[in-house]
Amino acid sequence: MDLVPALREPLKKVLGPATAKVMAEHLGLHTVGDLLHHYPRRYEERGQLTHLADLPMDEHVTVVAQVADARLHTFASSKAPRGKGQRLEVTITDGSGRLQLVFFGHGVHKPHKELLPGTRAMFAGKVSVFNRRLQLAHPAYELLRGDAEGEETVESWAGALIPLYPATAKLESWKLAKAIQTVLPSAQEAVDPLPGSLREGRGLVSLPEALLKIHRPHTKADIEDARARLKWDEAFVLQIALARRRHAETQLPAVPRKPSPDGLLTAFDDRLPFTLTDGQQKVSREIFDDLATDHPMHRLLQGEVGSGKTLVALRAMLAVVDSGGQAVMLAPTEVLAQQHHRSVVEMMGELAEGGMLGGAEHATKVVLLTGSMGAAARRHALLDLATGEAGIVIGTHALIEDKVQFHDLGLVVVDEQHRFGVEQRDALRGKGKQPPHLLVMTATPIPRTVAMTVFGDLETSVLDQLPAGRSPIASHVVPAADKPHFLARAWERVREEVSNGHQAYVVCPRIGDEDDDPRKGAKQSKQPPEGDADKRPPLAVLDVAEGLAKGPLQGLKVEVLHGRMQPDDKDAVMRRFAAGETDVLVATTVIEVGVNVPNATAMVIMDADRFGVSQLHQLRGRVGRGSAPGLCLLVSEMPEASAARQRLNAVASTRDGFELSRIDLEQRREGDVLGQAQSGARTSLRVLAVIEDEEIIAEARQEAAAVVAADPELTGLPGLRTALEALLDDEREQYLEKG
């Protein structure tokens, strides 16, 4: 069924091409329906003034305030040498603070006439600092007059509550409000996606009413009603999509894979020098139960950094090889694929020497396949895959190419799922004679609600115990600007670790070759550098490595590793580091996942404030992997009171990845956490907050499962099908696949 035509009407027909172009380019809004679903971020109450005291720097803000005074200055400049340059300075106040507005040149005339002391208005612009004072330069403004005409202006901004919309420099909040005013009558034609019984049972208002109330509320209760309804829509439609995926997966056939009683898996377990943790045993049982069924396993294995996920995945792969199938592990980078291949071959020993002299009785072949392999090695690997000689295959997305054929693909293990798109996952699954089983691994701990929202089509297993013998990691913030001697001490600590026979990582946000020269971007920015940590270019691997080798780490063997190096060079650097030939590895985040060098005990992360919480947690997990304790130093020049420093303090204060992921989600836009298609303006979560609305998501999941079980095709619910089609455009389809 088609979406309602009125809501599919392109904005350029309704608002004109110029406005529509800005909306499409800056806010991702294309149709009347998109605009109606662009909800206010918050509401101003008439008479209640925004707090000027806590304006965020460098952000576009809208404030309602009163003019305290206005002064026109003349000055000489290169453009007006005879002292005829004009600058209008207006001070506005809201009782909590004051803010200066400045207008220059010809732009002073209109505000000089209109912004008289005592005048109230809405002002919008970007907050900057000049002479240590906050200011808005050339803000757009809309007067709020006290006369009848002014009251009408306020009325048109929704009665007593003025909606303030997520806006851009090109389109202020009140212009968006006027555009929404124009299309609001179309809200009456919105088709309700919720089944009537569900809506009534939960006491929710209808969709047309919710849209009217969110954009034109008369009371705070109106806003509550509208938000409650719109949150339900988002949670429910999303969970319906996921429930339908789960339902479809259970309809697919798969070959049950059971390990033979004394085959490869048993032989492998017998040679393990340690016992599995309780968590590893429990998760393995869940996986083996899934593998034994005749429809494909779809399981998410999330485990703390270093909790032994790879071992659990390898045992699953061995079980599949035991039953006559092949298993493949897909890694996001060549460095990681090579690392996995090395560690799997080491763990298996003679069991990985299938077809070779000295190979054990049950042995199989473990083959690596990456894009940079030489032609002969590649041909050989492809042959082993096609004949079934190779039971275990480890590789990058080179595995997905058409040429790659498997003899009998039984299991696909995807490492670090968020780095693979929908086509890649499906292309690989399409290589089995029947759909293979799927195990997705992630070391980014995910709060339960996020797992239900993002990975809702997968069953979840969690590994939260660290294996015995793992060492604690101490983490500290190094405030380089406030206390430079702390940074000097950090390099001394690195030298101490090396003199004790250990190794260290130094991580930087940038490579520092010509291709990522920040000066190229600087030319386009008209903003002068403020001279603070936020304005200088991020520190770069090549510069830092050179500085360390000639300075505080002189005499140590320092090497660099980054993503733009040739694959063979990268591998050679990693091999030397793993063999202990290199003392200090200066790298970008290519080492973030899966790199395993137990002798590396220290990590210094430069400009740590430029990394996300989960990324810092991942990076930190590269040290303390052996018996010696680990040390992670988070170097930052951000001031103590900044949000960035609070984030770093949180990382330093806890090793619990689930706790950190919660902090991460509370501090950032959820789009960043929920994957690519969820970020930016076209996120499908507009009012639903994954952490706060845990209950709604859990209930929506239950309701959705019941609806899909009763009517998988949603034949009796045309409105819901419509909403689903809107959610599942190409971009959202990929989001649901965790693209």
Side-chain angles (χ1 to χ4, degrees), residues 91 151 202 270 285 297 325 397 484 503 507 538 629-630 633 675 685:
T91 306
E151 287 306 311
R202 296 201 163 267
D270 289 347
R285 278 196 299 277
M297 164 172 83
H397 47 260
Q503 294 158 279
V507 181
L633 300 174
L685 297 192

Side-chain angles (χ1 to χ4, degrees), residues 34-319:
D34 289 344
L35 185 54
L36 285 173
H37 287 295
H38 187 71
Y39 309 132
R41 178 178 282 154
R42 59 193 177 85
Y43 300 85
E44 262 308 337
E45 287 182 68
R46 199 161 7 129
Q48 177 223 344
L49 300 167
T50 318
H51 295 303
L52 292 179
D54 38 49
L55 285 177
M57 271 295 295
D58 274 345
E59 276 190 30
H60 285 282
V61 297
T62 304
V63 295
V64 175
Q66 197 157 14
V67 176
D69 70 44
R71 295 174 189 195
L72 191 61
H73 303 274
T74 55
F75 60 91
S77 71
S78 56
K79 287 184 181 167
R82 286 202 284 282
K84 294 218 177 119
Q86 289 190 310
R87 179 175 78 248
L88 175 66
E89 290 179 3
V90 178
T91 306
I92 59 171
T93 179
D94 67 353
S96 77
R98 294 164 86 82
L99 178 66
Q100 192 159 38
L101 316 176
V102 288
F103 300 88
F104 292 102
H106 298 305
V108 303
H109 305 308
K110 186 167 177 274
H112 189 219
K113 279 203 297 250
E114 293 181 336
L115 298 179
L116 304 171
T119 308
R120 281 184 75 243
M122 289 180 82
F123 302 92
K126 191 174 184 182
V127 183
S128 59
V129 170
F130 183 71
N131 281 345
R132 302 198 167 188
R133 286 167 67 197
L134 291 181
Q135 69 166 28
L136 295 182
H138 279 285
Y141 63 88
E142 186 94 346
L143 301 180
L144 297 173
R145 294 190 182 87
D147 56 18
E149 186 195 336
E151 287 306 311
E152 216 170 273
T153 309
V154 173
E155 271 312 307
S156 72
W157 277 339
L161 292 157
I162 304 168
L164 297 182
Y165 290 91
T168 72
K170 295 266 196 303
L171 204 63
E172 294 89 15
S173 171
W174 53 80
K175 288 187 181 160
L176 274 160
K178 284 177 177 167
I180 286 167
Q181 201 58 33
T182 309
V183 301
L184 206 50
S186 306
Q188 295 299 347
E189 301 191 39
V191 171
D192 207 316
L194 294 190
S197 55
L198 189 150
R199 188 162 64 77
E200 282 148 30
R202 296 201 163 267
L204 298 169
V205 300
S206 70
L207 181 57
E209 190 182 336
L211 290 171
L212 285 171
K213 281 183 168 176
I214 197 118
H215 293 297
R216 293 281 312 264
H218 293 295
T219 61
K220 288 186 175 171
D222 283 354
I223 301 170
E224 286 310 305
D225 286 351
R227 290 179 69 84
R229 166 60 214 252
L230 296 167
K231 278 184 179 192
W232 245 96
D233 279 15
E234 286 180 9
F236 184 67
V237 173
L238 195 50
Q239 293 300 337
I240 284 283
L242 293 164
R244 289 187 71 197
R245 284 190 61 80
R246 285 196 302 276
H247 182 268
E249 304 293 6
T250 59
Q251 307 305 305
L252 293 172
V255 179
R257 308 281 178 176
K258 294 179 183 159
S260 43
D262 30 309
L264 184 57
L265 179 61
T266 309
F268 174 76
D269 284 348
D270 289 347
R271 52 168 288 138
L272 277 179
F274 50 81
T275 51
L276 299 178
T277 64
D278 294 347
Q280 285 174 321
Q281 289 178 353
K282 175 177 157 286
V283 169
S284 289
R285 278 196 299 277
E286 291 170 351
I287 291 171
F288 290 153
D289 288 349
D290 282 0
L291 288 173
T293 61
D294 54 10
H295 57 81
M297 164 172 83
H298 280 89
R299 190 166 280 281
L300 170 70
L301 170 56
Q302 47 168 328
E304 272 291 12
V305 179
S307 58
K309 289 182 303 298
T310 311
L311 178 62
V312 169
L314 177 56
R315 293 184 73 241
M317 292 164 87
L318 294 173

Side-chain angles (χ1 to χ4, degrees), residues 693-707:
D693 299 323
E694 189 156 350
E695 226 167 276
I696 295 175
I697 292 167
E699 288 173 19
R701 184 180 164 106
Q702 262 177 323
E703 296 272 13
V707 167

